[in-house]
Amino acid sequence: FELISVGIAIGAASLLTTYLSYTDIYCHFSECCREEQPLNASALKLDLEEKLFGQHVATEVILKALTGFKNNKNVKKPLTLSLHGWAGTGKNFVSQIVAENLHPKGLKSNFVHLFVSTLHFPHEQKIKLYQDELQKWIRGNVSACASSVFIFDEMDKLHPGIIDAIKPFLDYYEQVDGVSYRKAIFIFLSNAGGDLITKTALDFWRAGRKREDIQLKDLEPVLSVGVFNNKHSGLWRSGLIDRNLIDYFIPFLPLEYRHVKMCVRAEMRARGSAIDEDIVTRVAEEMTFFPKDEKIYSDKGCKTVQSRLDFH
Ligand SMILES: Nc1ncnc2c1ncn2[C@@H]1O[C@H](COP(=O)(O)OP(=O)(O)OP(=O)(O)O)[C@@H](O)[C@H]1O
């Protein structure tokens, strides 16, 4: 009798290993949604600290928000991050880093979805249609992979109201029509609030205080109110803010001359070229800086660094 149960145990164990190795092999060749895969927090930390320049607030908040969310076995709602700041300060860049740390194929993953307002929702008269499609699209993708990531770029160009279509998915519901959205991540990117962030950064600078002393609490309240009252933020009077469904408003500070230089060096490294400090300085000096008198912050952040480097 004992022999039979030992036999069954061995059989079950070997079936399990075959199944495990089968899934491993399958997932090696075809992308799998590994919902329970924990986040490698130290890899994300290293990525952010090494690659993202001048954004100490964003780095800290994103790291905390993601590790907290992914380590919590009992999340009550999806994670919703709203990234704000001037052009070229790293919002898309960070979303890419986050996406890669959640799904190895990053933006190319079947489980990471990027919406660009001017591309996907261009016509104001089609708001209702966009809302229906967006709901269907998100429902379909979350049903296929609970830990899907949705990135909405150019939120400030999104017609007011469209985003409220996804409100039920962002709320504290266990399920909506049989689908649970609790493990999904929504990231909104916007230039709205960039002026408020710059003002705070300038106030610190003018008061002789260090940029690194700026904290989330100096900016988050101003940002959420500012965005709610801004007709061109995509979140104007949005129920998402009203209902406190956005977990973090994350400020991206305007980049200074020294950060632009760091971007040039990073780009040179990525191209496999030796770092030539003369070229670094020349590229950085070609950028334009504001405000008019102090000339502290780069107009385009690090955005045109790559193309400018081609000239040298
Ligand atoms: N803080 C930063 N640290 C390192 N590289 C940066 C940073 N900001 C921008 N870059 C570089 O500049 C490029 C453009 O930046 P990115 O697209 O992330 O800007 P953005 O904030 O999304 O701008 P926009 O609001 O105009 O969409 C990035 O791909 C990256 O190479």
Side-chain angles (χ1 to χ4, degrees):
F1 190 69
E2 242 172 46
L3 215 60
I4 297 174
S5 46
V6 169
I8 292 173
I10 293 175
S14 72
L15 259 174
L16 189 68
T17 21
T18 321
Y19 173 73
L20 281 181
S21 51
Y22 171 75
T23 30
D24 278 348
I25 293 168
Y26 179 80
C27 294
H28 183 76
F29 291 103
S30 164
E31 194 186 13
C32 289
C33 165
R34 294 188 159 174
E35 281 167 27
E36 304 305 331
Q37 186 110 326
L39 173 78
N40 184 344
S42 35
L44 175 64
K45 184 166 188 274
L46 200 68
D47 259 0
L48 291 171
E49 285 173 356
E50 280 187 352
K51 296 179 185 164
L52 184 69
F53 309 131
Q55 302 299 359
H56 67 282
V57 183
T59 298
E60 190 190 324
V61 180
I62 289 173
L63 196 60
K64 268 195 196 152
L66 277 171
T67 29
F69 181 73
K70 293 294 281 184
N71 288 341
N72 184 354
K73 292 271 169 281
N74 196 19
V75 284
K76 296 274 189 292
K77 71 181 279 306
L79 179 67
T80 310
L81 308 175
S82 194
L83 279 44
H84 298 266
W86 214 253
T89 49
K91 301 180 297 294
N92 272 285
F93 188 54
V94 147
S95 316
Q96 189 184 323
I97 295 177
V98 166
E100 280 163 6
N101 277 273
L102 293 168
H103 297 284
K105 287 190 173 175
L107 294 182
K108 293 200 189 93
S109 163
N110 291 327
F111 314 123
V112 176
H113 310 278
L114 174 68
F115 299 96
V116 182
S117 302
T118 46
L119 182 71
H120 297 105
F121 316 110
H123 308 295
E124 195 167 2
Q125 63 277 21
K126 293 191 179 163
I127 289 181
K128 188 80 198 65
L129 176 76
Y130 295 149
Q131 288 184 322
D132 289 346
E133 282 181 347
L134 196 56
Q135 286 192 343
K136 262 190 246 154
W137 177 252
I138 290 177
R139 186 178 306 125
N141 282 301
V142 175
S143 311
C145 178
S147 58
S148 291
V149 178
F150 300 94
I151 302 168
F152 291 81
D153 192 12
E154 299 186 343
M155 277 295 287
D156 40 318
K157 299 196 181 69
L158 194 69
H159 302 295
I162 292 190
I163 206 64
D164 281 6
I166 66 168
K167 201 173 101 193
F169 305 150
L170 302 187
D171 220 323
Y172 290 79
Y173 300 123
E174 201 166 323
Q175 291 200 336
V176 182
D177 290 336
V179 180
S180 170
Y181 294 85
R182 289 179 163 181
K183 287 188 178 153
I185 296 180
F186 292 82
I187 304 176
F188 303 132
L189 313 183
S190 170
N191 290 136
D195 48 344
L196 303 169
I197 299 169
T198 300
K199 189 184 168 301
T200 306
L202 257 179
D203 286 348
F204 267 71
W205 192 86
R206 286 177 178 151
R209 298 173 69 187
K210 280 202 308 208
R211 174 188 178 95
E212 287 69 27
D213 290 342
I214 301 175
Q215 294 175 26
L216 184 65
K217 67 173 167 50
D218 297 316
L219 283 162
E220 203 181 27
V222 200
L223 216 48
S224 64
V225 174
V227 169
F228 186 78
N229 292 323
N230 178 351
K231 217 168 181 172
H232 305 286
S233 68
L235 290 166
W236 178 56
R237 297 188 182 164
S238 168
L240 303 192
I241 300 184
D242 241 5
R243 294 263 306 141
N244 293 313
L245 298 180
I246 298 185
D247 298 300
Y248 295 94
F249 287 90
I250 307 181
F252 278 66
L253 304 174
L255 296 179
E256 298 174 8
Y257 178 77
R258 58 185 164 130
H259 303 121
V260 174
K261 279 183 141 183
M262 291 162 100
C263 288
V264 184
R265 289 190 201 105
E267 184 58 26
M268 285 176 151
R269 236 172 275 128
R271 293 182 186 193
S273 348
I275 310 287
D276 180 333
E277 284 299 329
D278 283 344
I279 298 183
V280 173
T281 308
R282 258 185 280 150
V283 174
E285 281 178 358
E286 276 176 19
M287 307 288 281
T288 47
F289 293 83
F290 71 99
K292 234 171 53 205
D293 297 328
E294 292 113 323
K295 293 196 173 24
I296 311 164
Y297 304 118
S298 164
D299 271 320
K300 301 189 182 73
C302 277
K303 212 162 190 181
T304 50
V305 161
Q306 299 184 355
S307 52
R308 274 160 204 268
L309 196 55
D310 296 336
F311 284 107
H312 293 278

